[in-house]
Amino acid sequence: MSHNNIARKVQNLQSSAIRELLKHSKMDGVISLGGGIPDPDLFDREGLQIAMDNVLSSGWKEAFQYGLSEGSPALREAICSLLSKRQIHCHVDDVVVTSGSQQSLDILARALIDPGDVVVVERPTYLAALQIFQLAEANLMSVGTDGDGMIIDELEALVKTTRVKAVYIVPTFGNPGGVTLAEHRRKQLVELSKRYGFVIIEDDPYGEINFTDKTFTPLKAWAETMDNSDNVIYTSTFSKILAPGTRVGWLVVPGWLKRQVVNLKQATDLHTSALSQSLTWHYLQTGRLSGQIALIRDAYKQKCQTLSQHLEKELGDHLTFHQPMGGMFLWARFKYELNTTQWLQKTLNNGVVYVPGEFFYCKEPDHSTLRMSYVSVPEANLKEAVVRLKASLDASV
Amino acid sequence: MSHNNIARKVQNLQSSAIRELLKHSKMDGVISLGGGIPDPDLFDREGLQIAMDNVLSSGWKEAFQYGLSEGSPALREAICSLLSKRQIHCHVDDVVVTSGSQQSLDILARALIDPGDVVVVERPTYLAALQIFQLAEANLMSVGTDGDGMIIDELEALVKTTRVKAVYIVPTFGNPGGVTLAEHRRKQLVELSKRYGFVIIEDDPYGEINFTDKTFTPLKAWAETMDNSDNVIYTSTFSKILAPGTRVGWLVVPGWLKRQVVNLKQATDLHTSALSQSLTWHYLQTGRLSGQIALIRDAYKQKCQTLSQHLEKELGDHLTFHQPMGGMFLWARFKYELNTTQWLQKTLNNGVVYVPGEFFYCKEPDHSTLRMSYVSVPEANLKEAVVRLKASLDASV
């Protein structure tokens, strides 16, 4: 018996290094900067309890019965309201509820990508997106990033010579890069998409986790003002602002793609858990989400500052990084050549792990990069993590 | 902009007739025998409430946090116990929790099927399975069924001349055919799989909904005794015995396929709703499942008898069918040529709908067949439905 060719590729993508890392990060005494997991101590237990009580007391049969593949109409309505605060104006028919952003991306890849189609990603980019586009047998290309996010001039040079099907981007508080696409580049990207007719897949899980007073306009909102809505697909999730375990995300899709996306959603899992959808809707009705977002934002901002200050102070001669303006990740690069995948064994011995940067590249990885998440680590441990990283460096020099 | 080739196929599969049917079946006064939806009046509200209270009072953080792609170890353990009562002996490592059977099939198709691989299904077969194997670009072939299920002699003739990758089958109380594979054919099928090296995908959502005193040995259990476990994959779900809205199913996979299935599950949606998994586990701990299954079984049995008796009495000259021994569906065929897709418009005018049989064939449909589900329809309405079907027939003769 044999699995198929694509399944074999998925196997290869999941390198044993990453699997080992995940295993070790659960060991006693090891501080993990590796995960991308929200801090469960911030979950709104009271609010979730109220919402669940309401699920079970009103409309409970709907929460346990089959539902529509596109998702609960009430929840999609509530998502439209939420999006209007993000400057995105859409209709309930434009929204498809998914079982999280991961599924949004998988469905999009299956709906859009034929084998060999060029998909452009940031360098570095989200690991699981790479996995999905590789599954779809896309021809993956990448464009560099700096402190202002994806370098759109570089993308322009590429689209002038290459037929690009789609650009995948996390423009706001990106994963893993931690950078945010500057406003003028947002406009430039949407213009390019209009001129060259490629689709933008805007992945926005972190946009609400904003450490600054600035607002960043979603590409989807830029597209509305630039008459390019048909080319911009938006995906977001409740995972980072409410709770990931319920698996509720959503897509905003243009009309030409709607039927295919819904059919694929149906083929994939019929519909997203009706219980999770009902719970999410009832939670939104409590009016507690904005307070919850403020809580998460303040806590993560504090942790981000702690980690970055200590990195600067203790490892500033060795590492360079952009201070995140939001989100969950800090991305750093050694000022000299150091293979962070190999270094991981040393840091593990000293009781700290991170994700080596090489896993976030579709090709030609920069081996001297690493991704650190600060959100689930107590502040004292963030300081200790930096001490341990430094000790591992001393040992390796 | 354009979607891809496969997405276009999915669009074509979802015929407008089926969509219209679903729309009309919601109309006031129309009795729908069309759906495959469990009776929500039988949901165990009290048990679900107890389970949810336990979710929220113990281990509630895990219910809202990211989890393992293969599913909660505690739930997988409980599934092994449940399976041992079905004569299947497996280890927790063999079980992967999915977001329902639909996802189990989608993941299997993606893990196993390369474009052009031959997949054999029953004639008729489950509509959504057809959709999934078409998405995977399988070369679909079918084998006839009679009152004893798939005609394995016909399959044997096929595998002798054709390299078959997989056989997909709902052996017990099938959908849509309502028939059950006879015991000697089960053994014969597993032997064939061993001899010719094809995979059996055993889909068992209805096995517990048994209207008889007989037990039917799962193919997976036959495979254990015949040293052919590597070739038989088993999938089942809590949708029909507990509640479908939570979207919890599972796969039992042989070792050689495990890593690929888990990687694909991760790529698809990271993991099944932790809330749904936790709720299901806590429900199983209440010990109420067997009582709940007995309740469902008795209610569906009664309804099935009502429908079949009235069909026999009122339409026995027109229709032929096998009395189901369990499950949710009754499959009938006209004794003469009558296109049930065209007839649907007449029955709709008379206030009753069903699913035309042609949608359950991969090719060369038998147009004079239809599928009726009795489970969500009150008994009085089942009688009235038959009266309305008869009236529609009079009008069409």
Side-chain angles (χ1 to χ4, degrees), chain B residues 130-141:
Chain B
L130 282 180
Q131 191 177 15
I132 280 167
F133 292 120
Q134 285 173 346
L135 256 179
E137 302 185 80
N139 179 5
L140 276 164
M141 297 189 177

Side-chain angles (χ1 to χ4, degrees), chain A residues 120-125 141-146 149-151 154 168 176-177 331 333 360-366:
Chain A
V120 177
V121 299
E122 295 165 278
R123 192 167 60 236
T125 190
M141 297 188 177
S142 66
V143 162
T145 53
D146 59 21
M150 183 186 263
I151 301 164
E154 201 181 302
Y168 167 77
W331 177 259
R333 173 183 286 111
F360 300 98
Y361 294 83
C362 63
K363 38 191 110 131
E364 294 168 33
D366 181 344

Side-chain angles (χ1 to χ4, degrees), chain A residues 136-158:
Chain A
E137 302 184 79
N139 179 5
L140 277 164
M141 297 188 177
S142 66
V143 162
T145 53
D146 59 21
D148 281 339
M150 183 186 263
I151 301 164
I152 306 298
D153 286 345
E154 201 181 302
L155 175 67
E156 182 161 9
L158 179 65

Side-chain angles (χ1 to χ4, degrees), chain B residues 228-240:
Chain B
N228 193 31
S229 293
D230 265 3
N231 280 339
V232 181
I233 302 163
Y234 178 88
T235 174
S236 189
T237 173
F238 289 102
S239 290
K240 307 305 189 289

Side-chain angles (χ1 to χ4, degrees), chain A residues 1 4 14 41 61 197 266, chain B residues 1 14 41 61 113 197 266:
Chain A
M1 279 303 104
N4 77 359
Q14 291 276 328
D41 291 337
K61 278 184 192 172
Q266 185 182 56
Chain B
M1 280 304 104
Q14 291 276 327
D41 291 335
K61 278 184 191 170
I113 308 303
Q266 185 183 55

Side-chain angles (χ1 to χ4, degrees), chain A residues 273-294:
Chain A
S273 163
L275 177 64
S276 293
Q277 291 187 70
S278 182
L279 177 75
T280 304
W281 184 80
H282 278 288
Y283 185 85
L284 293 174
Q285 299 314 298
T286 66
R288 296 167 73 106
L289 185 65
S290 57
Q292 180 60 16
I293 290 171

Side-chain angles (χ1 to χ4, degrees), chain A residues 55-65, chain B residues 40 43-45 48:
Chain A
V55 169
L56 292 172
S57 61
S58 73
W60 71 278
K61 278 184 192 172
E62 284 70 29
F64 291 107
Q65 187 55 286
Chain B
F43 290 167
D44 181 7
R45 182 181 190 169
L48 290 164

Side-chain angles (χ1 to χ4, degrees), chain A residues 331-382:
Chain A
W331 177 259
R333 173 183 286 111
F334 276 94
K335 291 178 171 176
Y336 43 86
E337 279 198 19
L338 186 149
N339 185 311
T340 57
T341 303
Q342 291 165 12
W343 191 48
L344 186 62
Q345 192 53 56
K346 281 188 186 144
T347 70
L348 177 63
N349 291 343
N350 283 326
V352 60
V353 294
Y354 52 84
V355 184
E358 67 167 286
F359 298 105
F360 300 98
Y361 294 83
C362 63
K363 38 191 110 131
E364 294 168 33
D366 181 344
H367 290 281
S368 51
T369 55
L370 64 161
R371 189 192 78 173
M372 289 169 273
S373 174
Y374 37 82
V375 303
S376 304
V377 186
E379 291 219 32
N381 282 6
L382 286 171

